[in-house]
Amino acid sequence: MHFVHESLPQRVRFAPGDAARGVEAEIDRLRASRVMVIAAEAEAALADRVTSGLPTVLRHADVVMHVPVEVAQRAREAALANDVDVIVSVGGGSTTGLAKAVAMTTALPIVAVPTTYAGSEATAVWGLTEDGRKTTGVDPAVLPRAVVYDATLLRSLPTDLAVASGLNALAHCVDSLWAPLADPINAVLAAEGARALHEGLPLVARDGAGLPGIELALYGAHLAAKAFASAGSGLHHKICHVLGGRYNLPHAQTHAIVLPYVLAFNAPNAPGAEARLAAAFASPTAVGGLSALCRALDAPRSLSDLGLTEAEAEAAVDDVLVVVPESNPTPVTTENLTALLRAAWAGKDVS
Ligand code: NAD
């Protein structure tokens, strides 16, 4: 075995029903006294529950998916004008993403309270969009210092979004098994993450407010994000990044749709990943296990359902080809990638 693994420095609290106290304790640890709360309008009620006891000097609700640079700039200016010394973000990946954009230029610490399964809170990856092009990068300054997971905050997530977001988390597990910095430690995190998501998401789909399912899925999503943070982006993330950037597609749904096709594409040449995922899904094969899960969750099926045309899906091929990691188990060609995208566009059965 010959590898280098980096674990990111971060405190993590799981505190169902107790986020307010958890965040307060983290703010005290940071000796902070001027809080900027970032939460989108739709997340305001959740943020109230978490932050009412904090010394808040600024509430910021100007959150837009994929963090347009002008949105980031406004938030940075507001943080500086109010002399804040900590950011508390309460929301999904878009909200966490805006907090990261502020931390990037101000070095302010972030205490993140996630309300979806996106997992951005556990990575040092930032993303910004300018003129329709999304740029991402890695910067230790954007990694939240602390994360407080409170399953009760996800009870209000609409079931279709919870399912898509949970499959976005599962995509982190799957892709990290063959991403450029895949290693045995990531693989353990990914496999346990996949197991927990496979067990938790059907419970969430049946009862969106049920805590046992949400708690399992949140735990799985955290492990998934840790594996992804260490392993980097594999073929799946490269495809979704290109599609999302070109066509402004909804993030979680795009991941949920594309994942089975990438797994079917790579599994025949990735026996280690196949074995781990099959075991995590308690299924004879990884692809069969994922297909059954997607059916049980009534997951989104096709890129055409997101409003994409077949020609648009195919037009993404060249952009993906230039960013495919060398580590990908199945050699990627124009022909097989076109076939993959056509299948995902049409929502063809995967076997
Ligand atoms: P999102 O944050 O855009 O949230 C989707 C919608 O759900 C929003 O309208 C939001 O207000 C609402 N919402 C969130 N939590 C809710 C709750 N508990 N109850 C009711 N409504 C709720 O979507 P997302 O999928 O969480 O995040 C997507 C973004 O995160 C993308 O920009 C993506 O690139 C980024 N992301 C980044 C990383 C990273 O490592 N940097 C990882 C994953 C995702």
Side-chain angles (χ1 to χ4, degrees), residues 42-43 46 65-66 92-94 100 115-116 118 120 123 125 134 153-154 156-157 161 251-252:
E43 298 151 349
L46 297 175
M65 189 159 70
H66 302 316
S94 299
K100 286 175 156 183
T115 64
T116 68
S120 174
T123 82
V125 179
K134 186 165 178 180
L153 301 176
L154 282 84
S156 53
L157 202 55
L161 188 50
H251 178 84

mmCIF file with all atom_site columns, all heavy atoms in Angstrom, residues 42-43 46 65-66 92-94 100 115-116 118 120 123 125 134 153-154 156-157 161 251-252, ligand 1:
data_model
loop_
_atom_site.group_PDB
_atom_site.id
_atom_site.type_symbol
_atom_site.label_atom_id
_atom_site.label_alt_id
_atom_site.label_comp_id
_atom_site.label_asym_id
_atom_site.label_entity_id
_atom_site.label_seq_id
_atom_site.pdbx_PDB_ins_code
_atom_site.Cartn_x
_atom_site.Cartn_y
_atom_site.Cartn_z
_atom_site.occupancy
_atom_site.B_iso_or_equiv
_atom_site.pdbx_formal_charge
_atom_site.auth_seq_id
_atom_site.auth_comp_id
_atom_site.auth_asym_id
_atom_site.auth_atom_id
_atom_site.pdbx_PDB_model_num
ATOM   1   N N   . ALA A 1 42  ? -35.971 30.963 2.235   1.00 0.00 ? 42  ALA A N   1
ATOM   2   C CA  . ALA A 1 42  ? -36.684 29.709 2.499   1.00 0.00 ? 42  ALA A CA  1
ATOM   3   C C   . ALA A 1 42  ? -36.166 29.013 3.753   1.00 0.00 ? 42  ALA A C   1
ATOM   4   O O   . ALA A 1 42  ? -36.811 28.107 4.277   1.00 0.00 ? 42  ALA A O   1
ATOM   5   C CB  . ALA A 1 42  ? -36.563 28.775 1.296   1.00 0.00 ? 42  ALA A CB  1
ATOM   6   N N   . GLU A 1 43  ? -34.982 29.415 4.214   1.00 0.00 ? 43  GLU A N   1
ATOM   7   C CA  . GLU A 1 43  ? -34.384 28.765 5.381   1.00 0.00 ? 43  GLU A CA  1
ATOM   8   C C   . GLU A 1 43  ? -34.465 29.645 6.633   1.00 0.00 ? 43  GLU A C   1
ATOM   9   O O   . GLU A 1 43  ? -33.926 29.292 7.687   1.00 0.00 ? 43  GLU A O   1
ATOM   10  C CB  . GLU A 1 43  ? -32.908 28.440 5.068   1.00 0.00 ? 43  GLU A CB  1
ATOM   11  C CG  . GLU A 1 43  ? -32.749 27.476 3.901   1.00 0.00 ? 43  GLU A CG  1
ATOM   12  C CD  . GLU A 1 43  ? -31.454 27.653 3.118   1.00 0.00 ? 43  GLU A CD  1
ATOM   13  O OE1 . GLU A 1 43  ? -30.750 28.655 3.336   1.00 0.00 ? 43  GLU A OE1 1
ATOM   14  O OE2 . GLU A 1 43  ? -31.164 26.791 2.262   1.00 0.00 ? 43  GLU A OE2 1
ATOM   15  N N   . LEU A 1 46  ? -35.816 28.109 9.874   1.00 0.00 ? 46  LEU A N   1
ATOM   16  C CA  . LEU A 1 46  ? -34.849 27.168 10.452  1.00 0.00 ? 46  LEU A CA  1
ATOM   17  C C   . LEU A 1 46  ? -33.732 27.942 11.137  1.00 0.00 ? 46  LEU A C   1
ATOM   18  O O   . LEU A 1 46  ? -33.296 27.611 12.239  1.00 0.00 ? 46  LEU A O   1
ATOM   19  C CB  . LEU A 1 46  ? -34.255 26.275 9.350   1.00 0.00 ? 46  LEU A CB  1
ATOM   20  C CG  . LEU A 1 46  ? -35.226 25.365 8.599   1.00 0.00 ? 46  LEU A CG  1
ATOM   21  C CD1 . LEU A 1 46  ? -34.507 24.645 7.463   1.00 0.00 ? 46  LEU A CD1 1
ATOM   22  C CD2 . LEU A 1 46  ? -35.842 24.346 9.550   1.00 0.00 ? 46  LEU A CD2 1
ATOM   23  N N   . MET A 1 65  ? -28.080 29.857 -5.957  1.00 0.00 ? 65  MET A N   1
ATOM   24  C CA  . MET A 1 65  ? -27.369 28.610 -6.225  1.00 0.00 ? 65  MET A CA  1
ATOM   25  C C   . MET A 1 65  ? -26.145 28.866 -7.110  1.00 0.00 ? 65  MET A C   1
ATOM   26  O O   . MET A 1 65  ? -26.186 29.699 -8.021  1.00 0.00 ? 65  MET A O   1
ATOM   27  C CB  . MET A 1 65  ? -28.291 27.582 -6.888  1.00 0.00 ? 65  MET A CB  1
ATOM   28  C CG  . MET A 1 65  ? -27.629 26.218 -6.966  1.00 0.00 ? 65  MET A CG  1
ATOM   29  S SD  . MET A 1 65  ? -28.768 24.829 -7.148  1.00 0.00 ? 65  MET A SD  1
ATOM   30  C CE  . MET A 1 65  ? -29.370 25.040 -8.790  1.00 0.00 ? 65  MET A CE  1
ATOM   31  N N   . HIS A 1 66  ? -25.067 28.153 -6.831  1.00 0.00 ? 66  HIS A N   1
ATOM   32  C CA  . HIS A 1 66  ? -23.784 28.218 -7.555  1.00 0.00 ? 66  HIS A CA  1
ATOM   33  C C   . HIS A 1 66  ? -23.036 29.539 -7.322  1.00 0.00 ? 66  HIS A C   1
ATOM   34  O O   . HIS A 1 66  ? -22.064 29.831 -8.022  1.00 0.00 ? 66  HIS A O   1
ATOM   35  C CB  . HIS A 1 66  ? -23.957 27.952 -9.051  1.00 0.00 ? 66  HIS A CB  1
ATOM   36  C CG  . HIS A 1 66  ? -24.591 26.622 -9.349  1.00 0.00 ? 66  HIS A CG  1
ATOM   37  N ND1 . HIS A 1 66  ? -24.229 25.455 -8.703  1.00 0.00 ? 66  HIS A ND1 1
ATOM   38  C CD2 . HIS A 1 66  ? -25.587 26.276 -10.192 1.00 0.00 ? 66  HIS A CD2 1
ATOM   39  C CE1 . HIS A 1 66  ? -24.959 24.459 -9.145  1.00 0.00 ? 66  HIS A CE1 1
ATOM   40  N NE2 . HIS A 1 66  ? -25.801 24.920 -10.052 1.00 0.00 ? 66  HIS A NE2 1
ATOM   41  N N   . GLY A 1 92  ? -28.849 24.762 2.882   1.00 0.00 ? 92  GLY A N   1
ATOM   42  C CA  . GLY A 1 92  ? -28.318 23.742 1.984   1.00 0.00 ? 92  GLY A CA  1
ATOM   43  C C   . GLY A 1 92  ? -26.960 24.144 1.425   1.00 0.00 ? 92  GLY A C   1
ATOM   44  O O   . GLY A 1 92  ? -26.331 25.104 1.882   1.00 0.00 ? 92  GLY A O   1
ATOM   45  N N   . GLY A 1 93  ? -26.547 23.408 0.393   1.00 0.00 ? 93  GLY A N   1
ATOM   46  C CA  . GLY A 1 93  ? -25.226 23.636 -0.193  1.00 0.00 ? 93  GLY A CA  1
ATOM   47  C C   . GLY A 1 93  ? -25.051 25.045 -0.734  1.00 0.00 ? 93  GLY A C   1
ATOM   48  O O   . GLY A 1 93  ? -23.937 25.582 -0.734  1.00 0.00 ? 93  GLY A O   1
ATOM   49  N N   . SER A 1 94  ? -26.133 25.669 -1.202  1.00 0.00 ? 94  SER A N   1
ATOM   50  C CA  . SER A 1 94  ? -26.006 27.022 -1.752  1.00 0.00 ? 94  SER A CA  1
ATOM   51  C C   . SER A 1 94  ? -25.661 28.018 -0.651  1.00 0.00 ? 94  SER A C   1
ATOM   52  O O   . SER A 1 94  ? -24.844 28.930 -0.847  1.00 0.00 ? 94  SER A O   1
ATOM   53  C CB  . SER A 1 94  ? -27.317 27.443 -2.425  1.00 0.00 ? 94  SER A CB  1
ATOM   54  O OG  . SER A 1 94  ? -27.608 26.562 -3.478  1.00 0.00 ? 94  SER A OG  1
ATOM   55  N N   . LYS A 1 100 ? -18.746 30.096 2.372   1.00 0.00 ? 100 LYS A N   1
ATOM   56  C CA  . LYS A 1 100 ? -17.372 29.783 1.959   1.00 0.00 ? 100 LYS A CA  1
ATOM   57  C C   . LYS A 1 100 ? -16.786 30.911 1.107   1.00 0.00 ? 100 LYS A C   1
ATOM   58  O O   . LYS A 1 100 ? -15.604 31.247 1.233   1.00 0.00 ? 100 LYS A O   1
ATOM   59  C CB  . LYS A 1 100 ? -17.367 28.483 1.153   1.00 0.00 ? 100 LYS A CB  1
ATOM   60  C CG  . LYS A 1 100 ? -17.556 27.238 2.005   1.00 0.00 ? 100 LYS A CG  1
ATOM   61  C CD  . LYS A 1 100 ? -17.655 26.017 1.106   1.00 0.00 ? 100 LYS A CD  1
ATOM   62  C CE  . LYS A 1 100 ? -17.254 24.750 1.832   1.00 0.00 ? 100 LYS A CE  1
ATOM   63  N NZ  . LYS A 1 100 ? -17.289 23.570 0.943   1.00 0.00 ? 100 LYS A NZ  1
ATOM   64  N N   . THR A 1 115 ? -28.791 21.840 6.151   1.00 0.00 ? 115 THR A N   1
ATOM   65  C CA  . THR A 1 115 ? -30.208 21.449 6.165   1.00 0.00 ? 115 THR A CA  1
ATOM   66  C C   . THR A 1 115 ? -30.564 20.589 4.948   1.00 0.00 ? 115 THR A C   1
ATOM   67  O O   . THR A 1 115 ? -31.739 20.374 4.658   1.00 0.00 ? 115 THR A O   1
ATOM   68  C CB  . THR A 1 115 ? -31.119 22.684 6.219   1.00 0.00 ? 115 THR A CB  1
ATOM   69  O OG1 . THR A 1 115 ? -30.933 23.441 5.016   1.00 0.00 ? 115 THR A OG1 1
ATOM   70  C CG2 . THR A 1 115 ? -30.818 23.562 7.424   1.00 0.00 ? 115 THR A CG2 1
ATOM   71  N N   . THR A 1 116 ? -29.548 20.136 4.205   1.00 0.00 ? 116 THR A N   1
ATOM   72  C CA  . THR A 1 116 ? -29.725 19.132 3.141   1.00 0.00 ? 116 THR A CA  1
ATOM   73  C C   . THR A 1 116 ? -28.594 18.125 3.311   1.00 0.00 ? 116 THR A C   1
ATOM   74  O O   . THR A 1 116 ? -27.792 18.230 4.253   1.00 0.00 ? 116 THR A O   1
ATOM   75  C CB  . THR A 1 116 ? -29.632 19.757 1.723   1.00 0.00 ? 116 THR A CB  1
ATOM   76  O OG1 . THR A 1 116 ? -28.281 20.197 1.498   1.00 0.00 ? 116 THR A OG1 1
ATOM   77  C CG2 . THR A 1 116 ? -30.583 20.916 1.538   1.00 0.00 ? 116 THR A CG2 1
ATOM   78  N N   . ALA A 1 118 ? -26.187 17.730 1.009   1.00 0.00 ? 118 ALA A N   1
ATOM   79  C CA  . ALA A 1 118 ? -25.208 18.073 -0.036  1.00 0.00 ? 118 ALA A CA  1
ATOM   80  C C   . ALA A 1 118 ? -23.761 17.829 0.388   1.00 0.00 ? 118 ALA A C   1
ATOM   81  O O   . ALA A 1 118 ? -22.927 17.435 -0.424  1.00 0.00 ? 118 ALA A O   1
ATOM   82  C CB  . ALA A 1 118 ? -25.386 19.524 -0.467  1.00 0.00 ? 118 ALA A CB  1
ATOM   83  N N   . SER A 1 120 ? -21.399 19.980 1.438   1.00 0.00 ? 120 SER A N   1
ATOM   84  C CA  . SER A 1 120 ? -20.397 21.033 1.229   1.00 0.00 ? 120 SER A CA  1
ATOM   85  C C   . SER A 1 120 ? -19.702 21.426 2.530   1.00 0.00 ? 120 SER A C   1
ATOM   86  O O   . SER A 1 120 ? -18.528 21.812 2.537   1.00 0.00 ? 120 SER A O   1
ATOM   87  C CB  . SER A 1 120 ? -21.092 22.261 0.605   1.00 0.00 ? 120 SER A CB  1
ATOM   88  O OG  . SER A 1 120 ? -20.226 23.336 0.506   1.00 0.00 ? 120 SER A OG  1
ATOM   89  N N   . THR A 1 123 ? -16.182 19.881 3.220   1.00 0.00 ? 123 THR A N   1
ATOM   90  C CA  . THR A 1 123 ? -15.111 19.967 2.226   1.00 0.00 ? 123 THR A CA  1
ATOM   91  C C   . THR A 1 123 ? -14.485 21.362 2.228   1.00 0.00 ? 123 THR A C   1
ATOM   92  O O   . THR A 1 123 ? -15.095 22.322 2.683   1.00 0.00 ? 123 THR A O   1
ATOM   93  C CB  . THR A 1 123 ? -15.610 19.681 0.788   1.00 0.00 ? 123 THR A CB  1
ATOM   94  O OG1 . THR A 1 123 ? -16.204 20.874 0.239   1.00 0.00 ? 123 THR A OG1 1
ATOM   95  C CG2 . THR A 1 123 ? -16.634 18.553 0.745   1.00 0.00 ? 123 THR A CG2 1
ATOM   96  N N   . VAL A 1 125 ? -13.798 22.748 -0.592  1.00 0.00 ? 125 VAL A N   1
ATOM   97  C CA  . VAL A 1 125 ? -14.034 23.132 -1.994  1.00 0.00 ? 125 VAL A CA  1
ATOM   98  C C   . VAL A 1 125 ? -14.967 24.339 -2.046  1.00 0.00 ? 125 VAL A C   1
ATOM   99  O O   . VAL A 1 125 ? -16.017 24.335 -1.411  1.00 0.00 ? 125 VAL A O   1
ATOM   100 C CB  . VAL A 1 125 ? -14.687 21.960 -2.775  1.00 0.00 ? 125 VAL A CB  1
ATOM   101 C CG1 . VAL A 1 125 ? -14.966 22.362 -4.220  1.00 0.00 ? 125 VAL A CG1 1
ATOM   102 C CG2 . VAL A 1 125 ? -13.800 20.726 -2.719  1.00 0.00 ? 125 VAL A CG2 1
ATOM   103 N N   . LYS A 1 134 ? -18.922 28.084 -14.105 1.00 0.00 ? 134 LYS A N   1
ATOM   104 C CA  . LYS A 1 134 ? -18.651 27.799 -12.696 1.00 0.00 ? 134 LYS A CA  1
ATOM   105 C C   . LYS A 1 134 ? -17.179 27.418 -12.520 1.00 0.00 ? 134 LYS A C   1
ATOM   106 O O   . LYS A 1 134 ? -16.662 26.580 -13.251 1.00 0.00 ? 134 LYS A O   1
ATOM   107 C CB  . LYS A 1 134 ? -19.549 26.664 -12.205 1.00 0.00 ? 134 LYS A CB  1
ATOM   108 C CG  . LYS A 1 134 ? -19.424 26.429 -10.725 1.00 0.00 ? 134 LYS A CG  1
ATOM   109 C CD  . LYS A 1 134 ? -20.548 25.589 -10.172 1.00 0.00 ? 134 LYS A CD  1
ATOM   110 C CE  . LYS A 1 134 ? -20.326 25.341 -8.689  1.00 0.00 ? 134 LYS A CE  1
ATOM   111 N NZ  . LYS A 1 134 ? -21.362 24.542 -8.084  1.00 0.00 ? 134 LYS A NZ  1
ATOM   112 N N   . LEU A 1 153 ? -33.857 19.648 11.630  1.00 0.00 ? 153 LEU A N   1
ATOM   113 C CA  . LEU A 1 153 ? -33.919 20.751 10.658  1.00 0.00 ? 153 LEU A CA  1
ATOM   114 C C   . LEU A 1 153 ? -34.226 20.247 9.243   1.00 0.00 ? 153 LEU A C   1
ATOM   115 O O   . LEU A 1 153 ? -34.567 21.033 8.366   1.00 0.00 ? 153 LEU A O   1
ATOM   116 C CB  . LEU A 1 153 ? -32.592 21.529 10.650  1.00 0.00 ? 153 LEU A CB  1
ATOM   117 C CG  . LEU A 1 153 ? -32.174 22.157 11.974  1.00 0.00 ? 153 LEU A CG  1
ATOM   118 C CD1 . LEU A 1 153 ? -30.799 22.797 11.843  1.00 0.00 ? 153 LEU A CD1 1
ATOM   119 C CD2 . LEU A 1 153 ? -33.196 23.205 12.423  1.00 0.00 ? 153 LEU A CD2 1
ATOM   120 N N   . LEU A 1 154 ? -34.073 18.947 9.023   1.00 0.00 ? 154 LEU A N   1
ATOM   121 C CA  . LEU A 1 154 ? -34.325 18.407 7.675   1.00 0.00 ? 154 LEU A CA  1
ATOM   122 C C   . LEU A 1 154 ? -35.738 17.862 7.528   1.00 0.00 ? 154 LEU A C   1
ATOM   123 O O   . LEU A 1 154 ? -36.108 17.343 6.475   1.00 0.00 ? 154 LEU A O   1
ATOM   124 C CB  . LEU A 1 154 ? -33.301 17.320 7.316   1.00 0.00 ? 154 LEU A CB  1
ATOM   125 C CG  . LEU A 1 154 ? -31.934 17.879 6.892   1.00 0.00 ? 154 LEU A CG  1
ATOM   126 C CD1 . LEU A 1 154 ? -31.074 18.186 8.103   1.00 0.00 ? 154 LEU A CD1 1
ATOM   127 C CD2 . LEU A 1 154 ? -31.209 16.946 5.947   1.00 0.00 ? 154 LEU A CD2 1
ATOM   128 N N   . SER A 1 156 ? -38.368 19.498 7.238   1.00 0.00 ? 156 SER A N   1
ATOM   129 C CA  . SER A 1 156 ? -39.165 20.317 6.319   1.00 0.00 ? 156 SER A CA  1
ATOM   130 C C   . SER A 1 156 ? -38.720 20.175 4.866   1.00 0.00 ? 156 SER A C   1
ATOM   131 O O   . SER A 1 156 ? -39.334 20.754 3.967   1.00 0.00 ? 156 SER A O   1
ATOM   132 C CB  . SER A 1 156 ? -39.058 21.786 6.733   1.00 0.00 ? 156 SER A CB  1
ATOM   133 O OG  . SER A 1 156 ? -37.697 22.155 6.845   1.00 0.00 ? 156 SER A OG  1
ATOM   134 N N   . LEU A 1 157 ? -37.648 19.420 4.631   1.00 0.00 ? 157 LEU A N   1
ATOM   135 C CA  . LEU A 1 157 ? -37.158 19.265 3.258   1.00 0.00 ? 157 LEU A CA  1
ATOM   136 C C   . LEU A 1 157 ? -38.199 18.475 2.451   1.00 0.00 ? 157 LEU A C   1
ATOM   137 O O   . LEU A 1 157 ? -38.560 17.368 2.846   1.00 0.00 ? 157 LEU A O   1
ATOM   138 C CB  . LEU A 1 157 ? -35.830 18.485 3.316   1.00 0.00 ? 157 LEU A CB  1
ATOM   139 C CG  . LEU A 1 157 ? -34.832 18.588 2.184   1.00 0.00 ? 157 LEU A CG  1
ATOM   140 C CD1 . LEU A 1 157 ? -34.445 20.025 1.873   1.00 0.00 ? 157 LEU A CD1 1
ATOM   141 C CD2 . LEU A 1 157 ? -33.592 17.764 2.531   1.00 0.00 ? 157 LEU A CD2 1
ATOM   142 N N   . LEU A 1 161 ? -36.877 16.549 -2.949  1.00 0.00 ? 161 LEU A N   1
ATOM   143 C CA  . LEU A 1 161 ? -35.565 17.185 -2.783  1.00 0.00 ? 161 LEU A CA  1
ATOM   144 C C   . LEU A 1 161 ? -34.685 16.377 -1.835  1.00 0.00 ? 161 LEU A C   1
ATOM   145 O O   . LEU A 1 161 ? -33.473 16.229 -2.055  1.00 0.00 ? 161 LEU A O   1
ATOM   146 C CB  . LEU A 1 161 ? -35.756 18.617 -2.267  1.00 0.00 ? 161 LEU A CB  1
ATOM   147 C CG  . LEU A 1 161 ? -34.513 19.497 -2.220  1.00 0.00 ? 161 LEU A CG  1
ATOM   148 C CD1 . LEU A 1 161 ? -33.766 19.480 -3.540  1.00 0.00 ? 161 LEU A CD1 1
ATOM   149 C CD2 . LEU A 1 161 ? -34.896 20.924 -1.870  1.00 0.00 ? 161 LEU A CD2 1
ATOM   150 N N   . HIS A 1 251 ? -28.738 21.093 -9.022  1.00 0.00 ? 251 HIS A N   1
ATOM   151 C CA  . HIS A 1 251 ? -27.545 20.317 -8.634  1.00 0.00 ? 251 HIS A CA  1
ATOM   152 C C   . HIS A 1 251 ? -27.880 18.879 -8.196  1.00 0.00 ? 251 HIS A C   1
ATOM   153 O O   . HIS A 1 251 ? -27.398 17.913 -8.776  1.00 0.00 ? 251 HIS A O   1
ATOM   154 C CB  . HIS A 1 251 ? -26.838 21.071 -7.507  1.00 0.00 ? 251 HIS A CB  1
ATOM   155 C CG  . HIS A 1 251 ? -25.631 20.384 -6.980  1.00 0.00 ? 251 HIS A CG  1
ATOM   156 N ND1 . HIS A 1 251 ? -24.387 20.494 -7.570  1.00 0.00 ? 251 HIS A ND1 1
ATOM   157 C CD2 . HIS A 1 251 ? -25.468 19.557 -5.919  1.00 0.00 ? 251 HIS A CD2 1
ATOM   158 C CE1 . HIS A 1 251 ? -23.524 19.766 -6.890  1.00 0.00 ? 251 HIS A CE1 1
ATOM   159 N NE2 . HIS A 1 251 ? -24.153 19.194 -5.886  1.00 0.00 ? 251 HIS A NE2 1
ATOM   160 N N   . ALA A 1 252 ? -28.711 18.771 -7.156  1.00 0.00 ? 252 ALA A N   1
ATOM   161 C CA  . ALA A 1 252 ? -28.937 17.447 -6.563  1.00 0.00 ? 252 ALA A CA  1
ATOM   162 C C   . ALA A 1 252 ? -29.621 16.506 -7.566  1.00 0.00 ? 252 ALA A C   1
ATOM   163 O O   . ALA A 1 252 ? -29.253 15.329 -7.687  1.00 0.00 ? 252 ALA A O   1
ATOM   164 C CB  . ALA A 1 252 ? -29.788 17.585 -5.298  1.00 0.00 ? 252 ALA A CB  1
HETATM 165 P P1  . NAD B 2 .   ? -29.731 24.262 -2.145  1.00 0.00 ? 1   NAD B P1  1
HETATM 166 O O1  . NAD B 2 .   ? -28.849 24.678 -1.044  1.00 0.00 ? 1   NAD B O1  1
HETATM 167 O O2  . NAD B 2 .   ? -29.783 25.153 -3.346  1.00 0.00 ? 1   NAD B O2  1
HETATM 168 O O3  . NAD B 2 .   ? -31.184 24.001 -1.547  1.00 0.00 ? 1   NAD B O3  1
HETATM 169 C C1  . NAD B 2 .   ? -32.254 23.660 -2.405  1.00 0.00 ? 1   NAD B C1  1
HETATM 170 C C2  . NAD B 2 .   ? -33.552 24.328 -1.927  1.00 0.00 ? 1   NAD B C2  1
HETATM 171 O O4  . NAD B 2 .   ? -33.975 23.722 -0.719  1.00 0.00 ? 1   NAD B O4  1
HETATM 172 C C3  . NAD B 2 .   ? -33.390 25.795 -1.612  1.00 0.00 ? 1   NAD B C3  1
HETATM 173 O O5  . NAD B 2 .   ? -34.539 26.461 -2.051  1.00 0.00 ? 1   NAD B O5  1
HETATM 174 C C4  . NAD B 2 .   ? -33.301 25.819 -0.101  1.00 0.00 ? 1   NAD B C4  1
HETATM 175 O O6  . NAD B 2 .   ? -33.708 27.053 0.451   1.00 0.00 ? 1   NAD B O6  1
HETATM 176 C C5  . NAD B 2 .   ? -34.249 24.706 0.279   1.00 0.00 ? 1   NAD B C5  1
HETATM 177 N N1  . NAD B 2 .   ? -33.970 24.059 1.559   1.00 0.00 ? 1   NAD B N1  1
HETATM 178 C C6  . NAD B 2 .   ? -32.771 23.721 2.075   1.00 0.00 ? 1   NAD B C6  1
HETATM 179 N N2  . NAD B 2 .   ? -32.915 23.075 3.228   1.00 0.00 ? 1   NAD B N2  1
HETATM 180 C C7  . NAD B 2 .   ? -34.241 23.004 3.475   1.00 0.00 ? 1   NAD B C7  1
HETATM 181 C C8  . NAD B 2 .   ? -35.019 22.423 4.535   1.00 0.00 ? 1   NAD B C8  1
HETATM 182 N N3  . NAD B 2 .   ? -34.461 21.766 5.550   1.00 0.00 ? 1   NAD B N3  1
HETATM 183 N N4  . NAD B 2 .   ? -36.359 22.544 4.472   1.00 0.00 ? 1   NAD B N4  1
HETATM 184 C C9  . NAD B 2 .   ? -36.950 23.164 3.411   1.00 0.00 ? 1   NAD B C9  1
HETATM 185 N N5  . NAD B 2 .   ? -36.273 23.710 2.383   1.00 0.00 ? 1   NAD B N5  1
HETATM 186 C C10 . NAD B 2 .   ? -34.922 23.628 2.416   1.00 0.00 ? 1   NAD B C10 1
HETATM 187 O O7  . NAD B 2 .   ? -29.340 22.814 -2.723  1.00 0.00 ? 1   NAD B O7  1
HETATM 188 P P2  . NAD B 2 .   ? -28.219 21.759 -2.295  1.00 0.00 ? 1   NAD B P2  1
HETATM 189 O O8  . NAD B 2 .   ? -28.424 20.616 -3.198  1.00 0.00 ? 1   NAD B O8  1
HETATM 190 O O9  . NAD B 2 .   ? -28.204 21.542 -0.836  1.00 0.00 ? 1   NAD B O9  1
HETATM 191 O O10 . NAD B 2 .   ? -26.853 22.492 -2.655  1.00 0.00 ? 1   NAD B O10 1
HETATM 192 C C11 . NAD B 2 .   ? -26.485 22.699 -3.984  1.00 0.00 ? 1   NAD B C11 1
HETATM 193 C C12 . NAD B 2 .   ? -25.263 23.596 -4.057  1.00 0.00 ? 1   NAD B C12 1
HETATM 194 O O11 . NAD B 2 .   ? -24.235 23.118 -3.184  1.00 0.00 ? 1   NAD B O11 1
HETATM 195 C C13 . NAD B 2 .   ? -24.659 23.654 -5.446  1.00 0.00 ? 1   NAD B C13 1
HETATM 196 O O12 . NAD B 2 .   ? -24.264 24.974 -5.751  1.00 0.00 ? 1   NAD B O12 1
HETATM 197 C C14 . NAD B 2 .   ? -23.455 22.756 -5.332  1.00 0.00 ? 1   NAD B C14 1
HETATM 198 O O13 . NAD B 2 .   ? -22.450 23.067 -6.265  1.00 0.00 ? 1   NAD B O13 1
HETATM 199 C C15 . NAD B 2 .   ? -23.025 23.000 -3.911  1.00 0.00 ? 1   NAD B C15 1
HETATM 200 N N6  . NAD B 2 .   ? -22.242 21.880 -3.332  1.00 0.00 ? 1   NAD B N6  1
HETATM 201 C C16 . NAD B 2 .   ? -20.944 22.124 -3.023  1.00 0.00 ? 1   NAD B C16 1
HETATM 202 C C17 . NAD B 2 .   ? -20.171 21.114 -2.484  1.00 0.00 ? 1   NAD B C17 1
HETATM 203 C C18 . NAD B 2 .   ? -18.757 21.415 -2.094  1.00 0.00 ? 1   NAD B C18 1
HETATM 204 O O14 . NAD B 2 .   ? -18.052 20.558 -1.594  1.00 0.00 ? 1   NAD B O14 1
HETATM 205 N N7  . NAD B 2 .   ? -18.300 22.642 -2.292  1.00 0.00 ? 1   NAD B N7  1
HETATM 206 C C19 . NAD B 2 .   ? -20.700 19.832 -2.255  1.00 0.00 ? 1   NAD B C19 1
HETATM 207 C C20 . NAD B 2 .   ? -22.056 19.625 -2.585  1.00 0.00 ? 1   NAD B C20 1
HETATM 208 C C21 . NAD B 2 .   ? -22.815 20.657 -3.113  1.00 0.00 ? 1   NAD B C21 1
#
